[in-house]
Amino acid sequence: MSSVMINFKGLFIISAIVRLVLLFYGIYQDEHSVLKYTDIDYYVFYDSLISLVQKNGSPYDRDTFRYTPLLTYVMYPCLWNIHLGKVLFITFDLLCGVYIHKILKKTNTKYPVYGTALWLLNPMVIAISTRGNAESIMSLLMLLCIYLFINKSYTLSAIVYGLSIHFKIYPIIYCIPFSCYFINKYMKTKQFKFIINWVLFGFVSLSALISITYVVYKKFGNEFLEHTYFYHMIRSDHRHNFSVWNMVLYMEQIPQVIKQDVFLVNNKKYGFFEINKILNNKSLSTLPQLFICTIVPIMLFFKKTNSSNSLEKLIKAIAIQTMLFVHFNKVITSQYFIWYLTYLPFFVDYFIEKFNDKKYFELIKLAIIWISSQGVWLLFGFMLEFQNKNVFVELFVAGCFMLIGNVYVISKLIEAV
Amino acid sequence: MSNQIVNSRLSILYFNKSYLYTEDHTVIEQDDQDILFKNNLIIKDIEPTDVYYQERYNIKINNTHSNVKFTYKGNDKFKYNTDNILKPLFLESGFNKYVFQQNNTRFDNEHEFINNIKEFINEYNIHLSMIDEMFQKLSNGQGFYDTIELTIMNDKLLLQITYPQHIFEEEKIIDLNNFSDTGMFFTTKENKLDTNVQGMIYKLNENKFQKTNFYISLYENDLTEMELFDLKFHQDGIHPDIFVTTQGSKDLKTYNPYANNCNRYLLLDVPKQAFVNKFDNQIKFDDKNWKLVDISEESIDLEAPDYKIDSYGNAYYLFKKENFDLAHVNDVSDFKFNLHNRYIDSAFANQKNYSHFEFEYFAFDHCKDVSRDFIMTPFNQKSHLGGYYVKNFANPSLKTQNTYTNLLKHGKEVIEIPYPNTSNFYKIQASTWLVVFLSISYLLKKIVFSNKKKTIKKDKKKH
C-alpha cells in the first residue's frame, strides 16, 4: 500500500475525463429523458443570469435564488452556451484536486495522491459538479485560503477567507480554529508575531468581507442582504431533510400542534420541566450547534493529540468542525456533505494506517455507518415523497440515526487529530 | 330617503319556437315585422321554462368594495334540463353585465338567508317593487321559488327571484307595466355544435322592441368523446403528476366546421395547499408543447407553508398549447408536470392521517370568429372561475373580441398527502433534544478521555 501506483498527473487526467464524459452524458440525458441530470439549482443560477443581463432586472427576480450576485456573474459564459457554467464548476472541482494535492504535500502527508483521489474520484463530488452545483466554488475558495495560510501568505489568505464568507456565511465558524492556531502558536513559542498575524488575518478578512459585501450591496440593495444572508438565518425548511431537527421544526408549524399547545390540557410537569409545551426550537436549536462548533476546535487545539503539526491540526479541526456544523444544522441536504468532504483527503494517512494495520473492519464500519445513515433516511424519504406513505415517525427515527451515525464517524476522525 | 327601484326586468325562457309563436296565442301578435304586446302577459298554455324577476337599485353599500353575490337555491330540487343553456347565461349576465363573482357566500339555512336579505332591505331602506309581495310571502314561509340571488356590483343592488315553470298550474297574469322591460327567448339547436338563441326585449313604456340573435357553442361532450384531448391525473407520491395528451389522428375542423383561429388552453384552479412551479424543468423545457403563459398571482412563495399565505386562496395557472393547429393531423404530444404540495397543510387529517384538498382543471379551445357579432360562451356558467376567465377570455367590454370557447375537458381531482400524527409532537420534541444532548456528551467524552488513552497506548507501543 505504501507504493504509489498512480501519480498525480495520471489521476488528474482520469478525473478530468470522467467529469467530461458525465458532462456530455448529462446533456444527452437532459435532452432525451423526462428525468433531468442537471441539478435544479443550476437553472436557478442560470435564470438569475438571464434576469440580470437579458431582462435588465435583478438576479433575485428569480424565486429561490438565495446566493450572492457574484455567483450570477460566474455564470456569465452561459450566455454563449448554457453548459459553460458546468464546465466552470468542473474546472473549480479539478482545481480543488490540485490544491488538495499541494496542501497534502506541504503538510508532509505520506500519501498525497491517494488523499487527492479521495476528492477527485469521489462519486458524490463528481456528481455534484457535473450536475451543475456550485459547491465546488466554496471548496476551492476554502482550499485556496488554507493553501495561502500554510504558505504564510496571511493577507492573501484573509482576503480569500473574507470572499468565501461573502459567498456563503458558514465559513465564518472557521475564525475559531484560525484563532486557535495563532494563539496556540503564541503559547508554544511566546513569539508576539503570531498575535500580530492573528490581528492582521482578522482585520484583513473582515475588511475584505465588508468591502466586497458593501460593493455588492451598493449595486443590489437590501434584497441582496435579505436573500443571501437574512433568509438563511430565519430559514426553517418545512420540507423533509436529513436534519434531526427537521421533524420537530416541521411539526411545530402545524396549526393543529399550535392549537393543542395553546389550549393545553393534562400538562405533565417533571420538576421544572413542562413536557407538553412547544419550545422555541427554531432559535434554541442553534445553541447546541454553536456550542459544539466552538468547543470542539478549541479542545482539539489545546489538548494533547496525535498530531504535532499545528497546520495539520488546523485543517483537521476545520474538517471536524464543518462536519459538526452540518450534522447539527437545522437543514441538511446532500450538497452540504461537500462542505466537509473537501477536507476528507487530509485524513488519508489515518485511513491508510488503519488499512496497513489490517483494521479493515474499522474502515468498512465507518463507511457503512456513513452511507447507511443516509440510506435509511433516503428509503423513508422515498416512501414519503414518491409513494405518499405516512412515514413521518420512521423519518424522524432515521434523522436521529443520521446524527448518531455521523457523530460516531466524527468521533473516529477526532482520533486522527 | 328611500331607495327606489331604477330598473326591473321580466325574463321568460322557452325551448321551442312554437311556444312563442303558437297559432292560438293571445299575447303576442305578429304582423309582418310588427310585434305587439298587450299590457298583460297571460301565461297559460305556452308554459315558459323559467321566469326571472329582476329588480335593480342604486344604493351605496357600506363596508364593502367587492362585487359579491349571495345565492340561495330553494328546497325544491327542480331539475333543469341539461340543455338549458340559457339559464346560466342569465344568471351570470344580470343587466347587460356579467357578474364578476369575486366573493361567494353560501347560506345553508333558507330562513337565515331570507332574514339576512330582509335586514339588508330594511337597513338600506329599499322599497321592493314587483317582487315585494313575493318576498313577503317568502319571509312568511309561504312563497315558492327556485333561486333567490342578491348581487352587489359597483354599488348597485340586484335582487333576483327565479320561478320554475311547473308552479304555473293555473293561469297567471303578469302586469307588464311593472317592468322596465320584458325579455322572451327561445333556443334552436342549429346543428350538432351550435345553438341559436333568438328572442326580443320589449320596453312597454317606450313601445320599443329589440330583436336578439346570438349563438352559443357547446362542444363539450362531442369533443371529449372524440378523444382529441386527454388529461390524466396520477398521484403516486406527494407531488401528483398531470399528463396532458393530445391525440393527432383527428381533425378538429371535421367536428367543428365553425372552428376558426383557435388557441388551446389548459387552466388549473389550484388551492394554496399546492402550486405549479413555473421553474420546473418539465414546464421550462417542454414549452414547445405547452407553455405556462399566465398565473393569476404575481408572486407565489414556493417555500411558505399554506397557512402563512393570506394573499390568495386559489391560484389560476394558464397553459397555452404552442403551435396549435386546428387540422392537427400529425400532432401527437404528451406533456407531464408536477403539482407541488406544501408540506404543512392547515386542513385537518382524516382517520388514516392524510389531509386532502381539491384542484380543478379546464381544457378549452378559445376561438375568434369575426363573422358573428356576439357569441356567448358556455364557460360563463363556470362561476367558480371567478374573474380570471371572464377578465381574460370573456370580457364583454372588449367588443372587438368576438370570441367563443369550446370546453374540451373539465374535472376535479383530490390530492391526498400524509399528515403527521400531531399528538406525537411532544414525544418527538423531547426525543430530538435527548438525541442532540447525548450526541454532544458523547463527543465531549470522546475528546476528553478516549483520545488521550489512544495516544498513550500508541506511545507505549512505539516504545
Side-chain angles (χ1 to χ4, degrees):
Chain A
M1 198 71 197
S2 56
S3 62
V4 177
M5 288 154 68
I6 185 170
N7 60 18
F8 174 71
K9 199 174 169 184
L11 173 69
F12 187 86
I13 291 167
I14 290 169
S15 307
I17 290 169
V18 170
R19 280 161 175 77
L20 279 176
V21 169
L22 279 170
L23 173 73
F24 287 111
Y25 169 74
I27 295 168
Y28 174 83
Q29 185 175 321
D30 285 352
E31 282 178 6
H32 294 89
S33 171
V34 177
L35 191 69
K36 306 295 177 194
Y37 181 82
T38 303
D39 194 305
I40 185 72
D41 282 350
Y42 186 73
Y43 297 110
V44 175
F45 311 149
Y46 177 74
D47 290 343
S48 75
L49 177 75
I50 299 302
S51 298
L52 179 68
V53 180
Q54 290 188 349
K55 295 179 181 171
N56 290 323
S58 157
Y60 301 103
D61 290 345
R62 203 302 185 185
D63 291 357
T64 72
F65 182 77
R66 314 275 186 200
Y67 312 89
T68 169
L70 296 187
L71 180 58
T72 307
Y73 288 114
V74 169
M75 294 289 288
Y76 215 90
C78 290
L79 290 177
W80 295 288
N81 185 303
I82 190 170
H83 305 295
L84 286 179
K86 280 194 216 172
V87 174
L88 263 180
F89 296 152
I90 289 170
T91 310
F92 294 145
D93 172 7
L94 290 169
L95 279 173
C96 284
V98 173
Y99 279 101
I100 285 169
H101 188 246
K102 281 174 185 272
I103 295 167
L104 285 171
K105 277 171 68 177
K106 189 81 184 172
T107 51
N108 298 319
T109 308
K110 291 177 197 164
Y111 309 99
V113 177
Y114 288 128
T116 311
L118 283 176
W119 172 265
L120 284 178
L121 298 182
N122 188 322
M124 192 176 251
V125 174
I126 297 169
I128 290 273
S129 61
T130 53
R131 292 184 67 215
N133 195 291
E135 292 304 329
S136 58
I137 297 179
M138 280 309 297
S139 296
L140 180 63
L141 283 173
M142 276 317 299
L143 287 167
L144 184 61
C145 166
I146 291 169
Y147 176 74
L148 292 165
F149 192 91
I150 61 176
N151 281 297
K152 296 188 170 51
S153 303
Y154 296 126
T155 309
L156 281 177
S157 174
I159 290 171
V160 178
Y161 181 51
L163 178 63
S164 69
I165 300 173
H166 168 83
F167 248 85
K168 279 198 172 164
I169 315 169
Y170 82 87
I172 202 162
I173 60 169
Y174 302 145
C175 66
I176 296 164
F178 279 129
S179 300
C180 287
Y181 170 82
F182 287 116
I183 295 169
N184 186 254
K185 274 285 192 187
Y186 170 73
M187 285 168 71
K188 278 182 179 172
T189 61
K190 300 294 175 196
Q191 290 179 3
F192 201 67
K193 68 172 185 183
F194 287 107
I195 297 296
I196 294 170
N197 285 338
W198 180 31
V199 174
L200 176 76
F201 186 83
F203 177 75
V204 174
S205 54
L206 194 64
S207 304
L209 170 65
I210 292 171
S211 309
I212 298 164
T213 306
Y214 181 73
V215 170
V216 178
Y217 172 74
K218 283 300 280 181
K219 184 159 173 62
F220 296 97
N222 283 334
E223 63 176 354
F224 150 65
L225 295 177
E226 278 168 27
H227 290 282
T228 311
Y229 303 122
F230 301 151
Y231 167 77
H232 295 284
M233 290 173 189
I234 57 158
R235 179 182 189 186
S236 72
D237 199 323
H238 55 275
R239 291 168 178 82
H240 53 270
N241 67 70
F242 291 116
S243 174
V244 70
W245 295 107
N246 174 248
M247 198 54 65
V248 74
L249 293 177
Y250 164 45
M251 286 182 74
E252 74 174 12
Q253 296 181 74
I254 298 175
Q256 191 66 7
V257 172
I258 297 165
K259 195 177 144 196
Q260 71 191 25
D261 195 57
V262 172
F263 303 104
L264 202 61
V265 282
N266 300 325
N267 188 11
K268 291 174 191 164
K269 275 199 172 183
Y270 295 87
F272 291 107
F273 296 105
E274 286 184 12
I275 297 298
N276 287 3
K277 187 78 192 157
I278 299 181
L279 302 173
N280 187 2
N281 293 297
K282 201 171 169 183
S283 305
L284 289 176
S285 60
T286 315
L287 295 179
Q289 186 191 28
L290 279 180
F291 172 74
I292 200 74
C293 288
T294 307
I295 199 78
V296 168
I298 293 172
M299 288 174 80
L300 287 175
F301 258 101
F302 295 102
K303 192 181 164 315
K304 219 174 185 181
T305 57
N306 296 327
S307 295
S308 53
N309 185 335
S310 297
L311 285 171
E312 193 188 330
K313 198 183 256 188
L314 170 71
I315 299 168
K316 286 178 178 170
I318 284 176
I320 288 165
Q321 192 195 28
T322 312
M323 207 168 170
L324 288 169
F325 181 84
V326 168
H327 286 288
F328 281 86
N329 201 22
K330 282 182 287 191
V331 179
I332 309 172
T333 60
S334 292
Q335 70 201 52
Y336 289 21
F337 300 147
I338 297 295
W339 296 359
Y340 62 77
L341 286 179
T342 308
Y343 309 106
L344 187 69
F346 304 109
F347 291 90
V348 66
D349 284 357
Y350 171 76
F351 297 135
I352 290 181
E353 272 171 26
K354 289 270 178 200
F355 190 84
N356 288 339
D357 292 346
K358 297 188 177 167
K359 290 179 178 171
Y360 308 123
F361 180 68
E362 275 192 38
L363 287 174
I364 292 168
K365 193 167 66 177
L366 276 185
I368 286 176
I369 288 173
W370 192 75
I371 292 167
S372 66
S373 67
Q374 289 174 52
V376 171
W377 190 96
L378 286 169
L379 172 70
F380 291 116
F382 177 83
M383 288 166 81
L384 172 68
E385 181 98 14
F386 296 103
Q387 296 183 332
N388 210 27
K389 290 189 175 164
N390 198 328
V391 286
F392 285 109
V393 175
E394 292 87 340
L395 207 60
F396 166 68
V397 175
C400 293
F401 178 54
M402 179 91 183
L403 178 67
I404 292 166
N406 278 279
V407 160
Y408 177 78
V409 173
I410 293 167
S411 74
K412 287 289 160 191
L413 294 180
I414 284 172
E415 283 179 11
V417 180
Chain B
M1 189 180 158
S2 65
N3 286 300
Q4 300 293 333
I5 190 167
V6 294
N7 207 339
S8 62
R9 169 178 285 182
L10 172 69
S11 304
I12 304 165
L13 311 183
Y14 299 85
F15 283 110
N16 196 315
K17 198 172 182 176
S18 62
Y19 285 155
L20 191 60
Y21 296 102
T22 50
E23 288 177 1
D24 60 341
H25 67 78
T26 55
V27 183
I28 300 167
E29 294 176 3
Q30 187 175 18
D31 180 14
D32 295 332
Q33 295 302 311
D34 297 326
I35 299 172
L36 295 174
F37 278 85
K38 292 180 179 176
N39 285 354
N40 291 338
L41 175 66
I42 301 169
I43 300 176
K44 186 180 175 186
D45 299 328
I46 53 174
E47 292 184 357
T49 304
D50 296 307
V51 179
Y52 298 95
Y53 295 95
Q54 293 176 327
E55 293 191 357
R56 191 177 66 169
Y57 306 85
N58 283 344
I59 53 168
K60 178 77 182 164
I61 308 288
N62 300 327
N63 306 325
T64 180
H65 299 290
S66 304
N67 297 326
V68 292
K69 181 172 177 179
F70 304 101
T71 306
Y72 191 84
K73 290 192 175 181
N75 291 326
D76 180 67
K77 302 294 179 193
F78 175 69
K79 297 281 183 194
Y80 288 97
N81 187 326
T82 51
D83 289 333
N84 186 352
I85 50 180
L86 287 170
K87 179 174 165 57
L89 291 178
F90 273 81
L91 286 176
E92 294 299 317
S93 57
F95 279 89
N96 305 322
K97 276 192 175 181
Y98 290 88
V99 174
F100 301 144
Q101 194 169 344
Q102 291 173 345
N103 293 301
N104 187 8
T105 304
R106 282 169 180 263
F107 294 87
D108 294 330
N109 183 294
E110 176 189 10
H111 187 66
E112 186 188 327
F113 178 70
I114 291 171
N115 274 346
N116 273 315
I117 296 182
K118 203 172 176 181
E119 279 180 26
F120 189 86
I121 288 168
N122 289 336
E123 184 184 345
Y124 289 98
N125 200 15
I126 296 165
H127 282 209
L128 295 179
S129 178
M130 180 60 191
I131 59 178
D132 184 51
E133 188 189 345
M134 296 177 209
F135 194 76
Q136 291 303 327
K137 278 185 181 175
L138 286 176
S139 57
N140 294 329
Q142 298 168 341
F144 196 89
Y145 65 98
D146 182 58
T147 60
I148 307 171
E149 285 190 4
L150 184 142
T151 306
I152 301 162
M153 193 172 79
N154 303 330
D155 294 340
K156 291 180 178 62
L157 174 77
L158 178 68
L159 197 60
Q160 175 173 284
I161 297 179
T162 312
Y163 276 68
Q165 112 196 52
H166 63 111
I167 65 159
F168 299 111
E169 290 164 353
E170 295 176 1
E171 183 176 282
K172 186 173 179 66
I173 300 171
I174 301 171
D175 185 355
L176 295 184
N177 283 308
N178 289 321
F179 299 94
S180 311
D181 53 27
T182 301
M184 292 185 177
F185 306 94
F186 64 91
T187 61
T188 309
K189 193 96 174 162
E190 282 208 339
N191 56 46
K192 198 176 173 185
L193 307 166
D194 283 354
T195 301
N196 181 237
V197 182
Q198 289 185 47
M200 66 193 83
I201 297 170
Y202 185 75
K203 293 182 184 297
L204 190 70
N205 295 337
E206 299 169 25
N207 200 20
K208 285 180 183 172
F209 72 90
Q210 183 187 352
K211 283 186 177 178
T212 309
N213 191 342
F214 59 85
Y215 285 86
I216 299 169
S217 299
L218 271 179
Y219 305 130
E220 182 173 356
N221 294 328
D222 293 342
L223 283 188
T224 306
E225 285 166 15
M226 298 300 172
E227 295 181 346
L228 289 170
F229 179 91
D230 195 18
L231 186 141
K232 281 181 189 145
F233 169 85
H234 184 71
Q235 187 183 2
D236 271 339
I238 53 178
H239 304 303
D241 293 323
I242 296 172
F243 296 92
V244 184
T245 307
T246 308
Q247 299 290 339
S249 56
K250 313 284 187 194
D251 178 358
L252 185 60
K253 275 275 185 187
T254 310
Y255 304 103
N256 179 4
Y258 303 101
N260 191 26
N261 194 14
C262 296
N263 287 313
R264 181 161 289 180
Y265 292 94
L266 170 65
L267 184 65
L268 300 182
D269 174 3
V270 181
K272 62 184 177 182
Q273 283 92 350
F275 60 91
V276 174
N277 185 357
K278 63 182 175 183
F279 300 111
D280 260 2
N281 281 343
Q282 290 94 331
I283 292 171
K284 276 176 66 175
F285 293 104
D286 287 357
D287 67 350
K288 287 176 187 167
N289 189 359
W290 286 84
K291 192 173 182 180
L292 183 59
V293 290
D294 198 12
I295 304 174
S296 62
E297 299 302 317
E298 280 186 6
S299 60
I300 288 180
D301 188 343
L302 305 180
E303 290 163 335
D306 68 323
Y307 75 97
K308 287 188 179 172
I309 298 169
D310 54 8
S311 56
Y312 68 91
N314 282 35
Y316 301 105
Y317 299 86
L318 185 71
F319 291 86
K320 186 180 178 187
K321 183 102 171 70
E322 293 292 279
N323 306 314
F324 177 66
D325 186 358
L326 289 168
H328 50 281
V329 177
N330 297 315
D331 182 11
V332 181
S333 63
D334 290 316
F335 179 53
K336 179 196 161 196
F337 62 96
N338 284 334
L339 266 188
H340 294 261
N341 287 312
R342 299 183 189 279
Y343 284 54
I344 294 172
D345 174 13
S346 54
F348 289 102
N350 61 17
Q351 287 182 331
K352 291 178 186 171
N353 267 334
Y354 280 81
S355 66
H356 66 273
F357 45 88
E358 284 182 340
F359 86 95
E360 199 167 4
Y361 59 84
F362 309 84
F364 58 91
D365 288 342
H366 189 241
C367 308
K368 286 192 177 182
D369 192 340
V370 290
S371 65
R372 303 176 201 183
D373 317 283
F374 187 53
I375 298 175
M376 302 295 283
T377 162
F379 230 95
N380 291 339
Q381 68 188 284
K382 308 292 174 191
S383 56
H384 46 264
L385 274 171
Y388 185 79
Y389 177 79
V390 175
K391 183 182 161 195
N392 290 283
F393 295 100
N395 188 349
S397 63
L398 299 173
K399 287 181 181 174
T400 54
Q401 203 171 23
N402 292 328
T403 58
Y404 65 100
T405 300
N406 310 315
L407 187 63
L408 300 174
K409 205 165 178 76
H410 165 233
K412 275 185 182 178
E413 297 289 351
V414 176
I415 303 169
E416 264 197 344
I417 57 169
Y419 195 81
N421 183 351
T422 51
S423 61
N424 281 337
F425 173 75
Y426 299 114
K427 287 176 197 160
I428 285 176
Q429 182 178 247
S431 307
T432 304
W433 279 99
L434 188 66
V435 168
V436 169
F437 178 75
L438 290 176
S439 299
I440 289 176
S441 305
Y442 176 75
L443 281 167
L444 293 179
K445 177 187 160 280
K446 194 78 186 171
I447 296 173
V448 174
F449 300 109
S450 310
N451 200 276
K452 199 175 179 181
K453 282 178 192 169
K454 295 246 172 192
T455 314
I456 293 163
K457 270 184 189 172
K458 219 170 187 182
D459 290 344
K460 276 182 183 172
K461 267 187 182 177
K462 276 181 186 174
H463 288 295

